[in-house]
Amino acid sequence: MMKSLKYVIYREEEFFVAQCLNVDVSSFGSTIEEAIANLKDAVALYLEDEDTGRLYHPVEDAMIGESTINA
């Protein structure tokens, strides 16, 4: 069954990190393309387990924001 994935990509030192918004899974790669491919593989493996497959939730719209706090 095909599932739509929404993800955020950010740079962390020399790697790109891809974090899925549908399930609590992330991965990384040396390039953006590699990070996305690794994330897709990781999410597919994660959802193979019947128990964790129920944790998928669809994300219709996504935004990235940035703010500052005094901490």
Side-chain angles (χ1 to χ4, degrees):
M1 181 165 138
M2 300 296 284
K3 293 192 183 296
S4 174
L5 296 182
K6 297 280 198 266
Y7 48 84
V8 176
I9 299 174
Y10 57 92
R11 190 167 185 94
E12 192 171 283
E13 297 180 9
E14 72 269 12
F15 295 106
F16 290 94
V17 178
Q19 184 171 357
C20 185
L21 302 176
N22 306 96
V23 293
D24 190 20
V25 174
S26 59
S27 193
F28 68 95
S30 298
T31 65
I32 292 172
E33 294 79 13
E34 183 181 21
I36 293 168
N38 290 342
L39 178 67
K40 288 169 73 174
D41 289 343
V43 171
L45 288 171
Y46 179 80
L47 293 176
E48 278 183 0
D49 183 347
E50 193 171 301
D51 291 333
T52 58
R54 290 181 279 140
L55 298 177
Y56 172 90
H57 60 275
V59 175
E60 295 298 321
D61 297 317
M63 284 190 262
I64 297 174
E66 183 176 341
S67 295
T68 59
I69 61 170
N70 187 11

